[in-house]
Amino acid sequence: MADMTVGIIGAGRIGQLHAEYIMSMSSIELKGICDIEIDHLKGSMMEKHVPVITTDPSILIEDEEMDAIFICSSTDTHCYYIEKCAQAGKHIFCEKPISFSLEETKAALQKVKEAGVHLQIGFNRRFDTHFSKVYEAVSAGKIGKPHIIKITSRDPEPPSEAYIQSSGGMFIDMTIHDFDMIRYLSSNEVESVSVVAANLVDPCFQKYDDVDTAIITLTFEDGSIGVIDNSRRAVYGYDQRIEVFGEKGVVMADNERESNVQIATKESVTLDHPKYFFLDRYKQAFYREIQAFARAIIDQTPVSCTGEDGLEAQRLAIATRLAWKENRTVLLSEIE
């Protein structure tokens, strides 16, 4: 028998991915899936193997057998479901960002605290094999005190206009992963942020008061510096690299490629492009974050990525947008 029983609210792309991985794990039973539309699940493995498929989230939340709920619905519903799940005594895994509003996020986290349940936020990149090893090297002091942390995160192509319209903007939708990773690698909080941003990829972003290209500079409380560069279109693939430079050396993680084959001739040296799709690049990381969440619930140990981590990444996204809009350096103390 499985060690825990879970349900999923939201059966879009990410919800279906989590469902696929959960169904492959012997320690977790996926009992139910909920979405406002379920026709797209007809004929799927989920329809064949998941006992409850419904459009009513209360069926999952009120089920006494459910130990935890995965919230994979749209961002504007996250806090509502977090509060409902917490009140029902369910542990919670919630996709990023927690919300578009700091007030809503804080209220939801307070409900979690009062209920005494676990809440893990879906910053899957913490669980990437390569990035994990960078973190371990930094934590072990192998490069000494970090001086500069650099993150490159560039999508292979822009999302659809409908997605851009409802995403909340690049900083809260895309860069939020990088905000979490840079805090994770630094182990220090950010003191201030500044940004240079532009519309260079698609005028659709400007239509919705958004940007598609940015370089963000962060100053940490210990004086060290972080740099994040983002683009919504890297024609060569999904560009994901990190580097931590310190007093004793440097540790870095390069892109995952379609293969590690390199061809060297007199004329040139060639190698494959980076993996193109985020689900391919972070496939193992998505699996490992679910494992970590399940282990925290089963063993009653702290989760690896807390609601407070989600809140701090959200604060950074809001501070960065303010820095862009007002063309100035913003102190994190301004963002309450």
Side-chain angles (χ1 to χ4, degrees):
M1 293 182 63
D3 296 314
M4 62 182 289
T5 301
V6 305
I8 295 175
I9 297 175
R13 181 169 61 186
I14 198 68
Q16 291 182 60
L17 178 77
H18 287 319
E20 176 187 340
Y21 288 156
I22 291 169
M23 288 190 293
S24 71
M25 297 178 181
S26 60
S27 61
I28 312 176
E29 177 192 355
L30 179 57
K31 185 179 179 182
I33 296 176
C34 172
D35 202 302
I36 55 174
E37 295 287 345
I38 55 176
D39 288 348
H40 64 294
L41 300 180
K42 289 181 178 177
S44 67
M45 289 291 290
M46 283 159 278
E47 185 183 49
K48 295 175 183 177
H49 296 286
V50 179
V52 179
I53 295 183
T54 179
T55 58
D56 183 357
S58 66
I59 291 176
L60 305 188
I61 296 171
E62 296 171 8
D63 188 332
E64 293 183 358
E65 292 185 352
M66 292 288 184
D67 298 301
I69 302 292
F70 282 68
I71 300 173
C72 304
S73 51
S74 59
T75 298
D76 59 350
T77 66
H78 286 179
C79 285
Y80 173 80
Y81 288 131
I82 288 173
E83 293 187 14
K84 289 295 183 182
C85 290
Q87 289 166 357
K90 309 302 182 187
H91 302 295
I92 306 157
F93 180 102
C94 183
E95 277 299 329
K96 62 79 198 170
I98 298 177
S99 78
F100 297 133
S101 160
L102 284 179
E103 290 74 18
E104 289 182 7
T105 296
K106 289 177 181 179
L109 296 187
Q110 182 60 32
K111 294 293 185 183
V112 169
K113 183 178 180 181
E114 291 170 2
V117 297
H118 285 67
L119 168 62
Q120 180 170 317
I121 306 303
F123 287 123
N124 61 290
R125 297 181 190 181
R126 291 190 181 209
F127 302 90
D128 174 70
T129 300
H130 314 293
F131 293 178
S132 293
K133 289 187 176 181
V134 171
Y135 171 77
E136 290 165 6
V138 174
S139 298
K142 292 185 177 180
I143 61 157
K145 180 183 181 296
H147 289 174
I148 302 172
I149 302 175
K150 296 173 67 177
I151 296 180
T152 293
S153 181
R154 304 168 184 162
D155 286 350
E157 59 185 18
S160 67
E161 181 171 351
Y163 185 89
I164 295 168
Q165 185 177 7
S166 62
S167 70
M170 185 172 78
F171 303 130
I172 194 76
D173 169 58
M174 175 183 173
T175 320
I176 199 163
H177 275 293
D178 307 315
F179 291 139
D180 179 68
M181 179 55 60
I182 210 162
R183 286 183 63 248
Y184 185 55
L185 292 171
S186 171
S187 297
N188 278 280
E189 294 301 337
V190 175
E191 186 174 87
S192 64
V193 60
S194 59
V195 59
V196 177
N199 292 105
L200 303 175
V201 172
D202 191 326
C204 184
F205 290 97
Q206 191 169 18
K207 178 180 176 182
Y208 296 104
D209 194 28
D210 194 9
V211 295
D212 51 46
T213 308
I215 295 178
I216 303 159
T217 304
L218 309 100
T219 301
F220 292 94
E221 290 176 347
D222 68 348
S224 58
I225 300 168
V227 179
I228 299 170
D229 84 77
N230 291 143
S231 173
R232 285 289 197 177
R233 185 176 64 200
V235 296
Y236 49 85
Y238 191 40
D239 193 353
Q240 299 284 293
R241 291 171 282 146
I242 62 174
E243 175 188 294
V244 184
F245 171 79
E247 59 185 347
K248 296 180 181 178
V250 64
V251 55
M252 61 190 75
D254 206 341
N255 284 308
E256 269 195 7
R257 302 182 182 276
E258 294 300 330
S259 80
N260 62 1
V261 174
Q262 180 173 294
I263 302 173
T265 67
K266 181 179 179 181
E267 290 76 24
S268 65
V269 176
T270 61
L271 63 164
D272 281 352
H273 286 100
K275 290 182 176 179
Y276 194 80
F277 194 40
F278 79 95
L279 294 182
D280 295 327
R281 169 62 180 84
Y282 289 116
K283 182 177 181 179
Q284 186 185 50
F286 282 112
Y287 189 90
R288 291 177 64 192
E289 74 173 350
I290 297 172
Q291 285 184 315
F293 176 64
R295 183 51 51 197
I297 304 307
I298 294 166
D299 295 344
Q300 285 298 292
T301 54
V303 296
S304 304
C305 189
T306 67
E308 285 68 30
D309 290 319
L311 176 65
E312 289 306 313
Q314 190 176 339
R315 287 180 70 225
L316 280 168
I318 292 169
T320 302
R321 180 171 176 83
L322 182 62
W324 166 57
K325 296 296 287 185
E326 297 189 358
N327 192 28
R328 67 180 179 89
T329 297
V330 170
L331 299 175
L332 263 291
S333 59
E334 298 178 50
I335 311 301
E336 296 296 338

